[in-house]
């Protein structure tokens, strides 16, 4: 009976959590973990909590994992599917990092100050804070038309804020995909940040009570969005 209860509890926790296992590109969804790096323990759907750990980059051990690299055009829409749905309230962000010359996406770990933000959503604040992606089964953004051609890592990050009232309470749901951008431009993406390093546990967009008193504003963590 105790074993059954423990299994049921773990299943309930996993069902409340979520992962981003596949891309949505060129009008279709890719297979799970085909173009997204499969991190250690993905089946638990568990989040990252420590912003100073290496796992904050691409999730557990995923910096040294690899996947297939998908070609997508600059200016097109790129998305990640969520499994199951994005069940917690919080912020959706996307970052990218260009693979250095002489390296490939499937062998690069994404280290250094190389990441730039290409998207974040924002809450609607009224009698409560409501979040655009909560309850959704996917999230997407537009690749800037001036994004230079080449291979990139793309980092999807949903920061669940339902327990974020104290340091370490925010939950980070993260996946990294590999893409090759075609038809790009001559933009200079930035500002560039490193993971770990971009966040502190006490950043106002990470340590926040979203329920009471209801915040009047919200500041996303990390650099401003590069729009091209």
């Amino acid at each position: 009976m105790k074993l059954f209860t423990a299994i049921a509890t773990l299943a309930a926790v996993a069902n409340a959590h979520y992962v981003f296992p596949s891309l949505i590109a060129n009008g279709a969804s890719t297979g799970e973990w085909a173009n997204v790096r499969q991190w250690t323990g993905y089946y638990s759907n568990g989040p990252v909590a420590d912003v100073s750990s290496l796992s904050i980059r691409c999730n557990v051990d995923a910096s040294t994992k690899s996947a297939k690299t998908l070609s997508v055009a600059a200016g097109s829409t790129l998305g990640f599917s969520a499994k199951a749905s994005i069940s917690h309230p919080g912020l959706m962000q996307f970052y990218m990092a260009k693979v250095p010359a002489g390296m490939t996406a499937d062998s690069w770990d994404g280290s250094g100050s190389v990441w730039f933000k290409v998207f974040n959503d924002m809450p609607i604040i009224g009698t409560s804070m409501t979040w655009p992606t909560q309850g959704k089964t996917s999230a997407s953004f537009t690749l800037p038309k001036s994004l230079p051609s080449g291979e990139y890592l793309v980092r999807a990050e949903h920061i669940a804020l339902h327990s974020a009232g104290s340091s370490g309470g925010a939950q980070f749901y993260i996946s990294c995909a590999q893409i090759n951008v075609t038809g790009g431009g001559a933009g200079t993406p930035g500002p560039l940040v490193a993971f770990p390093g971009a966040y502190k546990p006490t950043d106002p967009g990470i340590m926040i009570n979203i329920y009471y008193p209801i915040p009047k504003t919200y500041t996303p963590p990390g650099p401003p969005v590069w729009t091209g």
Side-chain angles (χ1 to χ4, degrees):
M1 182 65 180
K2 289 182 178 179
L3 177 60
F4 174 80
T5 301
I7 292 172
T9 300
L10 287 172
V13 169
N15 286 337
H17 295 164
Y18 37 96
V19 292
F20 298 100
S22 55
L23 289 178
I24 304 170
N26 305 321
S29 296
T30 65
E32 291 187 4
W33 311 114
N35 306 107
V36 178
R37 294 181 173 183
Q38 188 180 79
W39 47 275
T40 301
Y42 70 92
Y43 45 80
S44 72
N45 292 3
V48 176
D50 183 358
V51 299
S52 66
S53 72
L54 180 57
S55 297
I56 199 68
R57 185 183 300 162
C58 286
N59 221 313
V60 182
D61 297 332
S63 292
T64 54
K65 298 288 182 72
S66 64
K68 296 178 181 178
T69 301
L70 182 70
S71 289
V72 292
S76 65
T77 299
L78 183 67
F80 281 73
S81 65
K83 185 181 180 181
S85 64
I86 302 172
S87 58
H88 293 311
L91 177 73
M92 190 77 217
Q93 303 199 114
F94 293 103
Y95 287 83
M96 298 181 68
K98 196 172 192 305
V99 177
M103 303 186 73
T104 60
D106 62 355
S107 62
W108 185 49
D109 65 359
S111 59
S113 295
V114 292
W115 296 90
F116 56 97
K117 190 191 295 186
V118 287
F119 176 85
N120 65 248
D121 62 13
M122 288 292 286
I124 299 170
I125 301 176
T127 56
S128 65
M129 297 183 82
T130 58
W131 302 84
T133 56
Q134 187 174 5
K136 305 295 186 182
T137 56
S138 66
S140 62
F141 69 101
T142 300
L143 294 165
K145 290 184 178 180
S146 62
L147 185 68
S149 297
E151 294 191 355
Y152 289 82
L153 297 183
V154 184
R155 179 179 177 275
E157 171 190 81
H158 186 259
I159 309 176
L161 298 173
H162 58 293
S163 300
S166 58
S167 179
Q171 298 178 353
F172 295 79
Y173 295 87
I174 303 163
S175 280
C176 284
Q178 298 173 196
I179 66 169
N180 178 46
V181 173
T182 62
T188 305
L192 302 177
V193 298
F195 288 103
Y199 300 158
K200 299 188 297 293
T202 54
D203 284 344
I206 293 175
M207 192 175 78
I208 181 174
N209 184 336
I210 63 172
Y211 297 112
Y212 186 83
I214 298 168
K216 295 181 179 180
T217 61
Y218 179 77
T219 303
V225 171
W226 181 73
T227 57

